[in-house]
Amino acid sequence: MASATKESVLPAPARPAQAHRSLAGLDLLRFGAAGLVMLYHLACTAWLAPSSEAAVLVGQPIPFPALLPLSSQGWVGVEMFFVISGYVIAYSAARARPSDFLVNRVLRLMPGVWFCATVSFGLALIFFPDGLLVLAERYIRTLILFPAPRWIDGVYWTLGVEIAFYSLIYALLAMRRFDRLEPVILAIGLVSTLAWCLAAMPLWPDLGRIISTRGAKLLLLTHGCHFALGVLLWSGMQKGFTVRRWLGLALCLVGGVLQIRYDSSFVAAAFGLVRDDRMPLLLYGGFLILFGLSLRANAVLLDTSPGVTAASRQIGLATYPLYLLHTFIGALAMRLAAALGLPPAMILAGGFGAAIAAALLVSGWIEPPLRASLRRAIAAGTARLRNRGLLAAGRPLRSEP
């Protein structure tokens, strides 16, 4: 960070004693973002997009017109995920060796992917019209997190974008230049912002589509502004909010707003809806306000409400399987509820309840032993490589909190 003689430092770096503690508020925000995505799929695409996975699984259109102003904008939960990821990954990587970071990312991602994709594959074999070979190819692509579609469930598209961000963090750690994370991610965020500013002008009408392609997403061109917001917030909480950081946050926020406006117009056109940018921007703005407040209140929450923070941690851990399973489990629960003749409100509630229950089951009982087995396998493989002199001796793996 530049010295105070060059930049005006505004109050509020995090106290060292508070570093690397649980982030209770962010766990709840992450769950809320997953809830928005679930609402989008179960209460919007399931009846407005007949070819969507949710619509095929539900089996019949079950309209929720009263929810449409909110449900049709639930996709903005993904952009919220990217902001949270920017903060949390920077927060955890700041004290990690490259090997720790890499292994912990594998342990965090892969057990959930392997189990949830297998569940989705089994259900797809029963309910999807596609043939075995087609579904098997999507399943294998999902198991290895292949960066290009299609996957067994469309929600896996975000994991490739997350991995691109993780790769950037790992490269900086491996080069021992993690101290350069802020300028690097700020540069990415500003390039992303510039691209969206140009796309908002009439000079290049097709630019928005180009910078929303899969390749652009994997290069962080599409969503780099959101990741940058998270990293800059982490830097500010750790080192203080300087004028330069506030300016970087403001510019990346402009990019984030323009990216959300583009997606809003795309979704409206796809569903034949009247475009209205107010709801997704209101949701995103409210999320950022709650994000900042949760960081400020984190120490108080941890010190005064241990029961609440423990519950929020469990909810946070359930967010990942909820995101991966909600389309299949939630939509099939809705299918069952509709077959029983329940009213639409109870059908949707049943879909939400089943998806959340499945996520809590996976995070509490299935992921931990799978993760432990994978950890042992990685440790055994690492030990064999060291015994053969193919890997330098190192300290034991440190887990993330």
Side-chain angles (χ1 to χ4, degrees):
M1 183 183 74
S3 66
T5 59
K6 294 183 179 180
E7 293 183 284
S8 175
V9 181
L10 302 179
R15 294 191 296 270
Q18 296 176 1
H20 311 308
R21 303 178 72 183
S22 298
L23 300 169
L26 295 194
D27 284 329
L28 297 176
L29 286 175
R30 184 158 37 195
F31 188 82
L36 282 174
V37 176
M38 180 163 56
L39 184 69
Y40 173 65
H41 287 140
L42 300 185
C44 180
T45 64
W47 63 285
L48 286 182
S51 62
S52 69
E53 290 145 349
V56 172
L57 290 165
V58 172
Q60 59 178 301
I62 304 175
F64 299 98
L67 292 176
L68 201 55
L70 177 61
S71 64
S72 63
Q73 312 300 333
W75 49 265
V76 78
V78 169
E79 280 77 2
M80 297 176 186
F81 279 137
F82 291 152
V83 177
I84 294 172
S85 184
Y87 188 98
V88 171
I89 298 304
Y91 177 88
S92 60
R95 60 194 180 94
R97 293 172 292 158
S99 58
D100 291 342
F101 178 79
L102 179 61
V103 172
N104 277 318
R105 287 299 93 203
V106 170
L107 291 172
R108 182 71 184 97
L109 287 180
M110 299 317 297
V113 165
W114 293 338
F115 179 80
C116 295
T118 300
V119 170
S120 297
F121 175 58
L123 294 172
L125 289 173
I126 300 171
F127 294 98
F128 278 14
D130 308 278
L132 173 61
L133 292 180
V134 172
L135 292 175
E137 179 187 1
R138 294 177 192 168
Y139 175 53
I140 292 170
R141 282 172 173 264
T142 307
L143 290 181
I144 63 174
L145 291 181
F146 194 75
R150 291 184 63 183
W151 305 276
I152 199 65
D153 187 338
V155 298
Y156 285 87
W157 76 266
T158 61
L159 296 190
V161 180
E162 291 279 359
I163 289 171
F165 176 61
Y166 300 163
S167 299
L168 171 66
I169 300 291
Y170 177 76
L172 291 172
L173 288 171
M175 292 186 295
R176 299 183 180 181
R177 297 309 306 269
F178 185 78
D179 61 306
R180 304 302 297 166
L181 172 61
E182 184 178 352
V184 168
I185 197 65
L186 178 58
I188 291 172
L190 292 179
V191 169
S192 176
T193 294
L194 176 60
W196 284 113
C197 287
L198 293 174
M201 300 177 184
L203 303 175
W204 196 345
D206 207 31
L207 183 58
R209 183 192 62 80
I210 294 172
I211 59 178
S212 296
T213 59
R214 185 62 182 170
K217 289 174 181 175
L218 293 175
L219 291 172
L220 302 181
L221 181 60
T222 313
H223 302 102
C225 44
H226 301 292
F227 285 106
L229 281 173
V231 174
L232 289 171
L233 285 168
W234 168 78
S235 294
M237 291 299 295
Q238 296 300 309
K239 305 171 187 177
F241 284 97
T242 63
V243 170
R244 184 178 65 185
R245 288 196 180 100
W246 280 120
L247 180 61
L249 284 166
L251 291 173
C252 290
L253 180 59
V254 170
V257 166
L258 293 175
Q259 188 274 318
I260 289 170
R261 289 184 73 250
Y262 177 84
D263 276 4
S264 177
S265 65
F266 179 85
V267 170
F271 293 151
L273 302 173
V274 176
R275 176 178 173 178
D276 186 353
D277 301 332
R278 291 172 296 179
M279 180 59 76
L281 293 178
L282 180 63
L283 290 170
Y284 190 72
F287 156 77
L288 290 176
I289 291 171
L290 292 174
F291 191 105
L293 291 175
S294 72
L295 296 179
R296 289 292 188 183
N298 192 60
V300 175
L301 282 173
L302 293 177
D303 293 338
T304 62
S305 306
V308 172
T309 53
S312 71
R313 181 59 177 160
Q314 293 303 313
I315 290 172
L317 291 173
T319 298
Y320 184 48
L322 177 63
Y323 180 74
L324 298 182
L325 282 176
H326 73 267
T327 302
F328 275 80
I329 300 299
L332 288 175
M334 290 174 65
R335 185 187 189 116
L336 175 60
L340 294 175
L342 298 179
M346 294 187 66
I347 291 173
L348 185 60
F352 267 63
I356 292 171
L360 290 169
L361 175 65
V362 172
S363 65
W365 297 92
I366 296 173
E367 278 189 301
L370 289 177
R371 190 171 290 120
S373 297
L374 181 57
R375 181 185 293 276
R376 288 192 295 268
I378 292 173
T382 302
R384 283 195 294 270
L385 290 175
R386 285 174 178 159
N387 290 337
R388 295 175 184 177
L390 300 176
L391 190 66
R395 294 168 291 173
L397 173 70
R398 296 178 298 185
S399 300
E400 292 179 358

